[in-house]
Amino acid sequence: GLLARLQGLSEGSNLLGKQVTYDPGDGTSQTGVAESLFVNQNGEVRVVVGGQEIGIQQVTGIAQAGSN
């Protein structure tokens, strides 16, 4: 329902602007900055990392984005 979606988005919002490590589905590890997030039609929270859309459950780590 709507409440679950809002909870997922508020959890996911902690990722925004952070450098995240994720498994794109092939067993490798990728990193990028979480740019945005949304809920798809199935109610899954999706994160856009470096232009790549992933499921929030694919995120394996979070770090503060380095200030260069």
Side-chain angles (χ1 to χ4, degrees):
L2 181 60
L3 190 60
R5 289 185 190 200
L6 290 174
Q7 283 177 327
L9 283 175
S10 72
E11 286 174 33
S13 69
N14 298 328
L15 299 174
L16 289 176
K18 300 277 188 4
Q19 182 171 322
V20 298
T21 305
Y22 64 96
D23 178 354
D26 56 9
T28 65
S29 191
Q30 304 281 331
T31 60
V33 174
E35 298 159 10
S36 62
L37 61 139
F38 64 95
V39 179
N40 68 11
Q41 293 96 324
N42 301 327
E44 299 166 341
V45 178
R46 310 290 289 174
V47 188
V48 178
V49 180
Q52 184 88 0
E53 180 195 319
I54 61 165
I56 200 165
Q57 71 281 358
Q58 291 170 263
V59 174
T60 57
I62 310 169
Q64 289 288 351
S67 49
N68 357 0

